[in-house]
């Protein structure tokens, strides 16, 4: 059974940093592109970042470029999102998801990031 | 960027009756490889999103056959043949054609009358 378990969310001050993690199991992690998708409270879904199987290709939504860094450790079956210089508008539930046919087929339960002073 | 516009944004439905959600793209979603990467997701209250349909009309494993997707180019539709209570939630279309910036529609909230 595919499982994606996010962690690392919490309350962070504007301008601060946070590192999200996603522990994957039940599939061959190193064979899949992975993504982060976020959802602001009461709002819709927004794709945030993608990373290729070996980490050689990485893409971000414009609003997080230069501030967020997606990475992965295939030996640990883990995906990460380093969030720096966070803003109030980064407040959201952050999901990690597997990529299949240019879409997201498995999702975690999400980890909540709240940016507030 | 490809903008996806869903309608309606709110859809009250009667149990057992059909429901239909439209998703229109600002540009054709036909990729140069010939595929159309239009997907549909369901998000039940308090749950993570779940993909229902990929590449316009392909149902994911375990998705009831009362859900169907259709369309081409810029116009797409998700249909529920007979709405059940468990179908309550928000439905999103999403395009994966424009690489690498994938986008979602605004969401359509389905509720029981």
């Amino acid at each position: 059974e595919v499982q994606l378990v996010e962690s690392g969310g919490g309350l962070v001050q504007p301008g601060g940093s946070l590192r999200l993690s996603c522990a994957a199991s039940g599939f061959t992690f190193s064979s899949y592109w992975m993504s982060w998708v976020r959802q602001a409270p009461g709002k819709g879904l927004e794709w945030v970042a993608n990373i290729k199987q070996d980490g050689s290709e990485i893409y971000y939504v414009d609003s997080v470029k230069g501030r967020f860094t997606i990475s992965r450790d295939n030996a640990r079956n883990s995906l990460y999102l380093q969030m720096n210089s966070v803003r109030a508008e980064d407040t959201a539930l952050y999901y990690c998801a597997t990529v299949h046919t240019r879409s997201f087929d498995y999702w975690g339960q999400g980890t909540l990031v709240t940016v507030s002073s | 960027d490809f903008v996806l516009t869903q309608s309606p944004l709110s859809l009250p439905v009667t149990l057992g009756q059909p429901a239909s959600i439209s998703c229109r793209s600002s540009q054709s979603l036909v990729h140069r490889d010939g595929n159309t990467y239009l997907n549909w997701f369901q998000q039940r209250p308090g749950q993570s999103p779940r993909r229902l349909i990929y590449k316009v009309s392909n149902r994911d494993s375990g998705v009831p056959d009362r859900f169907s997707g259709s369309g081409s180019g810029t116009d797409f539709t998700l249909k529920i043949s007979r709405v059940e209570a468990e179908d309550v939630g928000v439905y999103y279309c999403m395009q994966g054609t424009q690489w690498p910036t994938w986008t979602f529609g605004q969401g359509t909230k389905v509720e029981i009358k």
Side-chain angles (χ1 to χ4, degrees), chain A residues 39 47 59 100 102-104 108, chain B residues 31 39 41 43 48 51 96 100:
Chain A
Q39 186 171 34
W47 164 77
Y59 303 98
H100 171 255
R102 289 171 166 260
S103 178
F104 314 110
Chain B
H31 190 269
N39 311 275
F41 294 85
Q43 188 174 32
S48 301
R51 193 175 67 182

Side-chain angles (χ1 to χ4, degrees), chain B residues 56-110:
Chain B
V56 182
S57 60
N58 296 274
R59 264 191 310 273
D60 273 276
S61 175
V63 174
D65 61 7
R66 65 179 180 274
F67 290 95
S68 64
S70 63
S72 63
T74 60
D75 291 341
F76 303 91
T77 302
L78 176 71
K79 292 183 179 176
I80 310 174
S81 59
R82 293 173 305 280
V83 172
E84 298 189 5
E86 66 178 18
D87 300 335
V88 165
V90 181
Y91 292 77
Y92 297 91
C93 58
M94 171 252 164
Q95 67 81 20
T97 295
Q98 183 192 24
W99 180 266
T101 53
W102 298 342
T103 49
F104 290 90
Q106 322 97 298
T108 294
K109 186 174 184 179
V110 172

